[in-house]
Amino acid sequence: MNLDVVHDIQTVYRKLVTATSRPGNSVVLEREAKTLDIQMECLSSTILLARTVLDPEVTFKVISKAEEAVSRMINQLTYSKPVDLAEADFIFILQDASDEQMKEALNMAKVGNLLNPHESAMIILEVPDVTKGVSMILSGPGIQEESFISLPNVSAWLGARNEKNKEFPLGIDMYFVDQQDRLIALPRTTQIKGNGGEIIWDMLQ
Amino acid sequence: MNKTYNFAFFDEGSKREIRRATLKAIAIPGYQVPFASREMPIGRGWGTGGLQLTLSLIGKDDVLKVIDQGSDESVNAVNIKKLVSDTTGVRTTDSTKGASLIQSRHRVPEVPLQRDQILILQVPLPEPLRNFEPSEHETKKLHAEREYSGAWLMLFEQIMKYGIMATDADHPVMVHDRYVMAPSPIPRFDNSKLDNNEALILLGAGREKKVYAIPPYTNISSLAFDDYGFEIESFANHACILCGSNDVFLDELVDEESGETYFQCNDTSNCLEMVNQKQSLGVK
């Protein structure tokens, strides 16, 4: 079965909308992922997201050992141009990226300016499993009081994310995809606390 | 379904552009994200912003409801419904509960929205500061600096002139304690429904080329002073002439023959449901 660029991309988009408007809730892209016939060094969900949001009007950057091949493939699929980190509208951090690369990517990502906070980067981060890892409490718009999630490799990205998002409305919006084609969003408005009540960010400093 | 058009009228590139703006809008509640606003087969200012959002969101399994000032059957609502269903083949409904996408002009439905629904509001003037600042560049700066004394002054002047805040509809709200936002010309009665709503609310202004959003469970407060609180329209001692409801937004109408005024529900589908409920109770 082939990806239907109209209807399958529409359902991916609606799930993206659900994920963004309800941070911490995971949505499943499994059905759409199965329609992809290309096998690459990145997850199927990453390709689905790239095809949903990218076109020649926007730019992207891939952080991976296979950066060149994946960039070329995304470029061929979407005609979007790969650019430097600081300019990229969308940053794809693949599973094989090191913690240092991840931190650097988040540090360099653009956050917009106060006049145009929407001119900021969307980060798509590949993880092994969006349900296993450090337990955290989320609050903010889209969340009724509090919600609980566990995400892996928190030490590599949480400090950088909080640093980037400290001056709302400036900031970066993060999307986590995993090998089971699940997607979780943490837009810039989401506040993250450790499950013991302490602020994880402080804990990591 | 008319197959000579693309699904949902737009080409995929146009949808993608609106989709990117919408995602940013959800991530920055209350901030007006500029978008390209394509030419539509209806005039700008007639719901093109809402329509573009609807077309970018809609899929084969959706059920669409379109209301215009509370009515499912006004010309504007019917035409928008026809355009969307002609180019997508989706089902339309009058029932608020039965719809997955609700496009609305100037009302939030009386029936509480559910988790899996999206409310799309058509917005004529998205800029709450436009009344006193004609320059877009300047209003953007005011939003950037969170400089909203003009918005407060506007309300203060109304109190000085009329003794009350005379905003009528489109009373400005504060979103997530950051952005002052025009809630589109919904009556003040509906402002409280925006606060901590279960559903995602998207607002689209086609002529002004802006998209903005209120995610679910977002704090929304109507601008008001400590000594002059926010007041909604009062329908004390009035009830709908058809269904008898007195806790909904009512239209004041004049009987042309007798010259007397009477009140009727503004949300017609809710009114019809109430009437039907009563009748079925009567049969039992």
Side-chain angles (χ1 to χ4, degrees):
Chain A
M1 201 168 68
N2 284 328
L3 178 83
D4 183 326
V5 290
V6 177
H7 300 293
D8 289 335
I9 293 297
Q10 182 270 336
T11 55
V12 173
Y13 169 62
R14 279 294 280 279
K15 287 171 188 177
L16 254 176
V17 168
T18 306
T20 316
S21 55
R22 297 176 194 281
N25 268 23
S26 72
V27 293
V28 183
L29 303 172
E30 191 183 358
R31 189 192 61 77
E32 293 87 353
K34 280 189 179 147
T35 63
L36 289 177
D37 41 17
I38 22 175
Q39 289 301 315
M40 276 302 298
E41 288 89 343
C42 61
L43 297 178
S44 306
S45 299
T46 307
I47 301 178
L48 284 175
L49 294 189
R51 297 200 65 162
T52 307
V53 294
L54 293 183
D55 62 20
E57 291 175 28
V58 289
T59 55
F60 71 96
K61 171 80 178 172
V62 174
I63 309 291
S64 163
K65 291 193 180 80
E67 179 188 339
E68 209 189 319
V70 176
S71 289
R72 198 181 318 117
M73 178 214 39
I74 291 180
N75 172 256
Q76 282 170 354
L77 286 172
T78 66
Y79 304 109
S80 181
K81 271 195 288 296
V83 292
D84 290 339
L85 259 177
E87 292 163 36
D89 298 313
F90 297 88
I91 300 172
F92 297 88
I93 305 176
L94 306 190
Q95 271 192 96
D96 61 4
S98 67
D99 287 3
E100 283 67 40
Q101 282 179 310
M102 202 183 288
K103 278 181 193 159
E104 193 206 345
L106 294 182
N107 285 334
M108 300 275 288
K110 59 179 181 181
V111 292
N113 56 57
L114 284 169
L115 282 176
N116 295 301
H118 65 283
E119 289 174 358
S120 51
M122 182 200 265
I123 317 281
I124 293 104
L125 193 65
E126 289 187 349
V127 293
D129 192 326
V130 293
T131 60
K132 291 200 177 89
V134 179
S135 175
M136 296 177 288
I137 304 174
L138 309 181
S139 59
I143 302 162
Q144 193 177 17
E145 292 174 13
E146 286 181 336
S147 80
F148 299 85
I149 57 162
S150 298
L151 279 171
N153 206 10
V154 169
S155 59
W157 55 265
L158 188 64
R161 174 194 183 266
N162 287 341
E163 189 59 38
K164 278 293 198 201
N165 290 354
K166 66 183 177 189
E167 194 183 358
F168 181 78
L170 306 185
I172 49 172
D173 307 308
M174 295 184 74
Y175 292 79
F176 297 81
V177 289
D178 76 5
Q179 288 162 348
Q180 290 77 42
D181 301 309
R182 288 173 297 198
L183 166 75
I184 280 184
L186 295 179
R188 65 193 74 180
T189 48
T190 306
Q191 303 290 315
I192 304 179
K193 270 195 314 189
N195 207 349
E198 75 279 34
I199 297 164
I200 293 188
W201 179 35
D202 287 344
M203 202 168 73
L204 297 171
Q205 298 304 302
Chain B
M1 183 179 163
N2 190 339
K3 294 207 166 157
T4 49
Y5 288 101
N6 288 331
F7 180 83
F9 188 74
F10 280 134
D11 58 287
E12 291 309 299
S14 299
K15 285 184 204 167
R16 241 186 328 263
E17 199 265 338
I18 302 166
R19 286 169 179 174
R20 282 193 301 258
T22 311
L23 289 174
K24 278 285 190 290
I26 302 169
I28 316 171
Y31 169 71
Q32 303 164 47
V33 183
F35 81 114
S37 193
R38 298 299 197 262
E39 286 289 332
M40 299 300 296
I42 59 171
R44 285 204 167 135
W46 290 84
T48 51
L51 182 59
Q52 290 179 74
L53 281 173
T54 302
L55 293 172
S56 73
L57 286 160
I58 204 160
K60 285 187 285 191
D61 300 328
D62 275 310
V63 182
L64 177 72
K65 172 183 166 80
V66 182
I67 35 178
D68 176 3
Q69 293 270 19
S71 169
D72 290 274
E73 284 150 15
S74 82
V75 176
N76 193 229
V78 169
N79 281 333
I80 288 177
K81 245 185 292 198
K82 265 192 192 161
L83 173 70
V84 179
S85 72
D86 266 6
T87 55
T88 58
V90 301
R91 277 193 305 130
T92 58
T93 181
D94 288 353
S95 148
T96 304
K97 274 186 196 141
S100 56
L101 293 179
I102 303 168
Q103 182 177 334
S104 168
R105 172 173 172 266
H106 308 181
R107 272 316 302 280
V108 179
E110 301 290 356
V111 181
L113 299 172
Q114 294 156 5
R115 202 185 148 76
D116 51 355
Q117 294 181 315
I118 300 177
L119 175 67
I120 299 139
L121 288 169
Q122 301 170 195
V123 187
L125 296 168
E127 182 48 72
L129 314 178
R130 185 65 72 235
N131 261 344
F132 58 88
E133 178 49 71
S135 155
E136 170 71 13
H137 186 68
E138 288 301 317
T139 52
K140 261 186 106 66
K141 247 201 272 183
L142 293 174
H143 281 293
E145 292 164 3
R146 202 164 176 269
E147 168 47 59
Y148 291 130
S149 39
W152 292 98
L153 203 58
M154 186 183 75
L155 297 174
F156 178 72
E157 278 179 357
Q158 289 175 359
I159 293 170
M160 295 314 287
K161 256 188 188 164
Y162 309 109
I164 50 162
M165 290 191 281
T167 40
D168 231 20
D170 214 356
H171 186 96
V173 294
M174 176 69 87
V175 182
H176 187 47
D177 213 21
R178 176 61 181 82
Y179 282 106
V180 165
M181 181 194 98
S184 84
I186 55 173
R188 278 172 287 151
F189 187 87
D190 285 348
N191 271 23
S192 61
K193 294 182 196 165
L194 302 178
D195 183 33
N196 274 298
N197 200 305
E198 285 259 316
L200 168 66
I201 302 171
L202 298 173
L203 300 100
R207 187 186 49 199
E208 306 290 325
K209 307 185 178 182
K210 293 286 170 64
V211 173
Y212 51 111
I214 306 174
Y217 308 116
T218 301
N219 292 334
I220 307 286
S221 55
S222 303
L223 296 194
F225 298 97
D226 288 346
D227 51 347
Y228 280 84
F230 175 72
E231 277 176 34
I232 61 168
E233 294 85 352
S234 164
F235 301 106
N237 306 322
H238 297 297
C240 171
I241 197 168
L242 300 175
C243 71
S245 300
N246 54 10
D247 55 350
V248 296
F249 188 78
L250 299 170
D251 286 333
E252 188 176 352
L253 302 166
V254 179
D255 187 325
E256 285 186 6
E257 278 176 18
S258 65
E260 283 176 23
T261 57
Y262 63 97
F263 288 80
Q264 195 176 317
C265 282
N266 176 268
D267 186 334
T268 52
S269 75
N270 184 51
C271 187
L272 194 65
E273 249 171 59
M274 300 299 270
V275 170
N276 287 340
Q277 246 175 30
K278 273 195 190 149
Q279 278 179 350
S280 61
L281 281 174
V283 170
K284 277 175 195 167

